[in-house]
Amino acid sequence: MENNRLDYLRQKVLQLPFSPGVYIMKDKSGEIIYIGKAKALKNRVSSYFRSIDKHTEKVYRMVMHVHDFDYIVTDSEFEALVLECSLIKRHCPKYNILLKDDKGYHYIRIETGEFGKIQWVKQKLSDGADYLGPYTSSYAVRNAVEEANKVFMLPTCSRRFPQDIGKGRPCLNFHIKQCIAPCRGRITPAQYEEIKEEAIRFLKKGSQSTVTQLTAQMNEAAEALDFEKAARYRDRIRSIQKITQHQKVINSKLKEQDVIAVAQNGKKACIVLFKFREGRLVDKKDFMIGEIESLESARSAFLSRYYMNESDIPRQIMIDGEYEDAELILQYIREKAGRKVYITVPQRGEQHKLTEMAKTNAAEMLSLGSARTGKELSALDELARLLGLKEPPAYIEAYDISNIGSSVIVSGMVVFEDARPLKSNYRKFNIKSLSQPDDYSAMRETIQRRIARYLDENDHDAAFSRLPDLILLDGGKGHVSTILPVIQQSGLSIPVYGMVKDDKHRTRAIAVDGGEIAINSHRRAFTLVSQIQDEVHRYTFAYSSKKHTKSSLESSLTQIEGIGPARAKALLKQFKTLKAIREADVAALQEAPSISKTAAEAVYRHYHEEDDQ
C-alpha cells in the first residue's frame, strides 16, 4: 500500500506550531479517520510521516489512508484533551479506540405452563412467556439466573417437559444435586410450580428476603411433623447461604469503585471493568479494543473515552498499571464527576487481587478468539510486568549448556511461542571453540552463532529468521553479564535474563545483570519459567547423552583393524546400533559408504571371533 500524498503531508507539517492542540486526520473522501491531541502539534504530527515502516500495523494503515489533516490550537494540554474527547464522541473515527462492550438490554425469561424454565435472554419476544427486565447488565442477569437455577435445582438442559419425561436417564446435574430432574417423573407439576415461584421470588426480592420466608416455611413444616418438606426448605436455605458466601469472595471493602485491567495477546487487546457498588460486584464490562501502541496509551485512552460518557463515576478507580498523561486524565475525570476522584495502581492487598482478577478475565476474553488459554496469556502478561517489558513476550528463546567431560560440549535452544513449546524451531549446537568445559564461553559462542545466522541474508532457516522477544539463559547473573555485551555489539535489542535454580534443581529466581528477581510469589509466571527451564534442560541433556553414546560406540569400532573414525561413523549411520552391525553379514556391511570388502571382513571377523570365544 502506498500513499502518494506523503510529500505533501510532510511539507504541511512544517507549518505547524509547537503549541498544544488537536489534530484531525482525513481520508480522500474527507471523512475523519483519526483524532489525537498533542503537547506540541508539530512534533506529534510529524512523527506519523517519519520512519513509517516502524509504525505498528494499525498506525501504518491509518497513515496510508491519510489524504489531509486539520488542527486546532488550544491554550493548554488539558484543553486539548477535553476537545479531543468531545470530537471523538461526535465523529467516532475508525482508527480511534472504540469502546463497544456486550451491553444491550437483557431479560429474565420465565416459561409459563407445566415445568417452565427460567433463562436469561437478549430479546423480549411475544411468545407467551413472562419476562423480568429490561436490565442493562448482562453480567448481573446471567449471574442471577444461574444462582436461582442452582439454588432451587431447576433444570437447565435442552429437554422439554412433560413430553420428555421418562425418555432418558437423568443427566449429571441430578447426580451432583444441582437438578430436581423432572425427567424421572417423580415430581408433580404443582410441586415444580411451587419451587419455581420461590426462585422467582429470589430473583425479585433477593437472598435475604427469600431466606426469611423459607425459614418460616421450614419451621411451619417441622411443627406439622412434615420433616421431609422441612429438610427440603433447609437445603434451599443452605444453598442460598453458600451462594452468598461465594459472592463475598469478590466483594470489596470499598463501597464504590471501578476496577480496570488490560490484557494483550500479540496485536489484540481487551479491557475489563468491574463495577462495585455497595461493596458488591454488580457489573462486568468487556471491551475488545484491537491493536494498541502500548499498554500505557491504551489505559489512558480508555479512561478518557469511558468516563467521557459515564454518569456513574465512583470516588475510587483501581487500574492495573501506569497510564499516559496521568495528571490530565485525573483532572478530566474529576471535572466530569464534579468532585474528587482517585485513580490508584494497587501494588498489594485486596485491591491488587481485584485488578489481577480483572486482568485474568481480560485474558480469558482474548483467549476465546485464539488457540491459547487465558492462563497462558496471563502468564506472559505477568512475566512482562515482572521483568519490566513493554509488552508480553510472545516469542521466547531459552538456552542451556551440557558437558560430559571434555569430549562432549553442546548447547540447546528451545522456543516457546505464546507460552507453548514450538518444537519445530528447537535447535542444537556443537561447541567448536572449546577443548575444556567452560559454560560462559560455550554460551557466548552459542549466542554469537545464533545472531550470525539471523544476520546472514542467505540463511533461510525459519528458527533463525525471527528475533525473540526475550532470551532466557539457564544460569545466573554471570551468564547474563556474559551475554549482554554480545547482544549489544550486534546492534540488536533483546532482553536477556537468567533462570536460577535452587539446591534441588528447581526454579528459584530470575537473574538480571547484577542481581535477582524473586519469582515464587508470581504463580503463573513462575510456572511458565519453570516449564521453560525444565524443557531446555531436558532437550540439551538428551542431545549431549546421545552424542556421548554415539562417541563411545565410534570409539569401540575404531579398535577394529582398518576402521577409523570416518568408517565408524559410516557404519553407525547405516546400522544405527552395534547389535545391528554385529548381526550383519559381510555383504550387508559392504553396503555402508566407504566400507571395502577387506574392512567388512575385518568387522565380521571381529564380532564372530568374539562369539566363538
Side-chain angles (χ1 to χ4, degrees):
M1 183 184 295
E2 293 289 337
N3 186 343
N4 54 18
R5 297 271 294 178
L6 286 177
D7 289 339
Y8 163 78
L9 295 169
R10 287 169 181 146
Q11 286 299 315
K12 187 172 180 178
V13 165
L14 298 177
Q15 302 170 19
L16 291 176
F18 289 98
S19 306
V22 172
Y23 53 93
I24 304 164
M25 304 290 193
K26 299 179 179 179
D27 64 11
K28 190 179 294 186
S29 67
E31 181 182 354
I32 295 175
I33 60 174
Y34 186 77
I35 296 172
K37 67 168 178 61
K39 189 174 183 179
L41 280 167
K42 188 170 188 176
N43 293 342
R44 184 70 183 101
V45 178
S46 64
S47 69
Y48 286 102
F49 308 116
R50 296 194 311 261
S51 304
I52 293 173
D53 293 338
K54 294 183 179 179
H55 289 323
T56 64
E57 186 177 343
K58 179 182 175 181
V59 175
Y60 178 82
R61 288 198 309 270
M62 187 272 289
V63 171
M64 289 299 104
H65 284 95
V66 174
H67 186 76
D68 206 347
F69 65 84
D70 291 331
Y71 63 93
I72 301 171
V73 177
T74 60
D75 291 333
S76 67
E77 194 177 353
F78 179 71
E79 284 186 11
L81 171 64
V82 174
L83 179 59
E84 177 198 33
C85 291
S86 175
L87 291 174
I88 289 173
K89 183 177 181 180
R90 184 188 307 169
H91 298 286
C92 298
K94 64 182 292 186
Y95 287 106
N96 285 98
I97 288 179
L98 301 178
L99 302 183
K100 296 180 180 179
D101 66 356
D102 63 351
K103 302 298 177 283
Y105 287 122
H106 300 265
Y107 300 85
I108 297 174
R109 181 177 182 271
I110 304 167
E111 287 183 340
T112 54
E114 294 183 352
F115 301 103
K117 296 179 181 177
I118 299 177
Q119 304 161 314
W120 71 274
V121 294
K122 291 185 177 181
Q123 288 182 322
K124 184 178 181 180
L125 304 175
S126 299
D127 57 358
D130 293 329
Y131 287 85
L132 301 179
Y135 305 97
T136 57
S137 170
S138 64
Y139 174 83
V141 172
R142 190 165 55 241
N143 267 17
V145 170
E146 287 175 357
E147 288 173 6
N149 283 327
K150 188 175 290 186
V151 167
F152 297 95
M153 299 173 64
L154 295 176
T156 57
C157 61
S158 59
R159 295 180 182 180
R160 310 303 302 172
F161 306 113
Q163 53 265 44
D164 288 339
I165 290 177
K167 290 187 177 180
R169 293 181 178 180
C171 64
L172 177 62
N173 281 350
F174 167 71
H175 297 289
I176 61 175
K177 296 184 179 181
Q178 288 191 4
C179 181
I180 52 179
C183 54
R184 297 191 307 154
R186 298 183 183 180
I187 183 169
T188 67
Q191 290 172 328
Y192 184 92
E193 191 64 23
E194 180 189 348
I195 296 171
K196 189 175 78 170
E197 286 301 319
E198 289 174 359
I200 295 170
R201 192 183 306 116
F202 173 80
L203 289 168
K204 288 181 176 179
K205 297 185 177 180
S207 59
Q208 188 56 50
S209 173
T210 305
V211 167
T212 301
Q213 184 158 350
L214 287 174
T215 302
Q217 291 173 324
M218 178 183 68
N219 293 334
E220 186 180 330
E223 288 174 5
L225 303 181
D226 190 348
F227 298 116
E228 185 177 345
K229 190 174 184 179
R232 287 200 299 270
Y233 288 132
R234 179 204 61 200
D235 291 342
R236 285 172 203 163
I237 292 169
R238 287 179 177 175
S239 295
I240 292 173
Q241 291 170 339
K242 187 175 180 181
I243 287 286
T244 305
Q245 287 300 317
H246 173 71
Q247 288 169 349
K248 287 180 181 176
V249 175
I250 51 175
N251 278 4
S252 167
K253 291 179 181 177
L254 297 177
K255 290 293 184 182
E256 293 190 1
Q257 69 167 335
D258 287 348
V259 178
I260 300 166
V262 57
Q264 185 180 7
N265 176 22
K267 296 178 181 178
K268 294 182 179 179
C270 175
I271 292 179
V272 161
L273 181 145
F274 286 150
K275 182 180 287 189
F276 288 86
R277 298 296 181 267
E278 296 301 321
R280 180 175 176 180
L281 178 61
V282 298
D283 199 5
K284 167 180 169 282
K285 297 185 177 184
D286 311 306
F287 302 89
M288 301 300 295
I289 58 174
E291 186 179 0
I292 60 176
E293 292 186 50
S294 68
L295 292 172
E296 291 83 359
S297 65
R299 293 187 187 105
S300 179
F302 176 81
L303 287 169
S304 59
R305 307 290 188 275
Y306 178 76
Y307 290 107
M308 170 177 63
N309 299 312
E310 183 68 14
S311 58
D312 180 19
I313 302 178
R315 287 190 175 275
Q316 297 283 348
I317 299 172
M318 301 294 165
I319 195 162
D320 67 319
E322 300 300 325
Y323 54 98
E324 292 180 354
D325 304 319
E327 292 183 7
L328 293 177
I329 295 294
L330 181 59
Q331 183 183 349
Y332 175 72
I333 293 175
R334 284 178 172 177
E335 289 200 3
K336 291 289 292 183
R339 53 178 163 74
K340 280 199 172 183
V341 176
Y342 301 92
I343 305 177
T344 308
V345 181
Q347 302 297 321
R348 61 182 65 85
E350 178 197 72
Q351 303 308 315
H352 177 67
K353 289 179 181 178
L354 290 176
T355 58
E356 288 297 300
M357 185 173 72
K359 185 178 287 291
T360 299
N361 276 263
E364 289 292 344
M365 291 298 298
L366 281 176
S367 72
L368 294 178
S370 71
R372 297 301 178 243
T373 66
K375 286 184 179 180
E376 289 168 337
L377 299 181
S378 294
L380 291 173
D381 189 82
E382 188 174 68
L383 183 61
R385 285 184 286 119
L386 188 64
L387 302 182
L389 305 180
K390 290 184 177 179
E391 57 185 46
Y395 195 81
I396 301 173
E397 289 181 0
Y399 295 86
D400 192 12
I401 305 296
S402 182
N403 306 305
I404 299 180
S406 58
S407 60
V408 176
I409 306 175
V410 300
S411 63
M413 175 185 97
V414 304
V415 174
F416 275 61
E417 185 175 34
D418 292 333
R420 292 186 184 179
L422 183 63
K423 294 192 176 183
S424 61
N425 281 15
Y426 285 17
R427 292 296 182 267
K428 306 164 185 171
F429 298 83
N430 289 315
I431 303 304
K432 302 174 180 178
S433 61
L434 301 177
S435 57
Q436 295 293 330
D438 183 342
D439 281 6
Y440 293 162
S441 298
M443 191 69 80
R444 185 186 299 111
E445 179 186 326
T446 300
I447 301 300
Q448 286 172 337
R449 287 166 58 184
R450 190 269 181 261
I451 292 174
R453 296 287 297 270
Y454 170 76
L455 297 175
D456 185 354
E457 296 179 357
N458 297 318
D459 194 325
H460 302 296
D461 188 325
F464 299 124
S465 62
R466 176 179 177 181
L467 281 181
D469 301 317
L470 172 66
I471 288 178
L472 294 175
L473 311 174
D474 190 87
K477 57 186 179 182
H479 287 81
V480 176
S481 59
T482 298
I483 298 308
L484 277 175
V486 176
I487 302 293
Q488 293 163 356
Q489 289 165 13
S490 69
L492 302 174
S493 178
I494 308 171
V496 179
Y497 293 88
M499 299 178 288
V500 185
K501 293 179 180 177
D502 60 19
D503 295 338
K504 297 181 180 179
H505 298 282
R506 295 176 301 194
T507 306
R508 179 177 61 78
I510 289 181
V512 298
D513 187 23
E516 291 183 358
I517 300 173
I519 192 174
N520 293 19
S521 59
H522 303 271
R523 181 172 54 84
R524 288 181 177 170
F526 174 78
T527 301
L528 175 60
V529 173
S530 296
Q531 183 186 0
I532 293 173
Q533 188 169 31
D534 291 343
E535 178 67 358
V536 71
H537 178 73
R538 177 203 65 77
Y539 180 71
T540 308
F541 183 74
Y543 177 50
S544 67
S545 298
K546 183 177 179 181
K547 188 173 175 63
H548 177 68
T549 301
K550 185 177 179 182
S551 177
S552 299
L553 293 176
E554 289 176 2
S555 178
S556 67
L557 286 171
T558 56
Q559 296 176 10
I560 302 172
E561 185 179 352
I563 304 298
R567 283 179 168 174
K569 287 182 180 178
L571 285 168
L572 284 172
K573 187 174 182 180
Q574 180 79 8
F575 294 97
K576 310 300 181 188
T577 65
L578 281 180
K579 181 181 179 183
I581 295 172
R582 182 192 298 272
E583 293 175 351
D585 57 23
V586 174
L589 291 168
Q590 275 187 264
E591 293 178 5
S594 74
I595 301 297
S596 63
K597 182 178 180 181
T598 303
E601 288 174 345
V603 172
Y604 183 84
R605 189 166 53 250
H606 174 80
Y607 287 114
H608 287 275
E609 282 180 357
E610 284 185 359
D611 291 343
D612 293 341
Q613 292 173 2

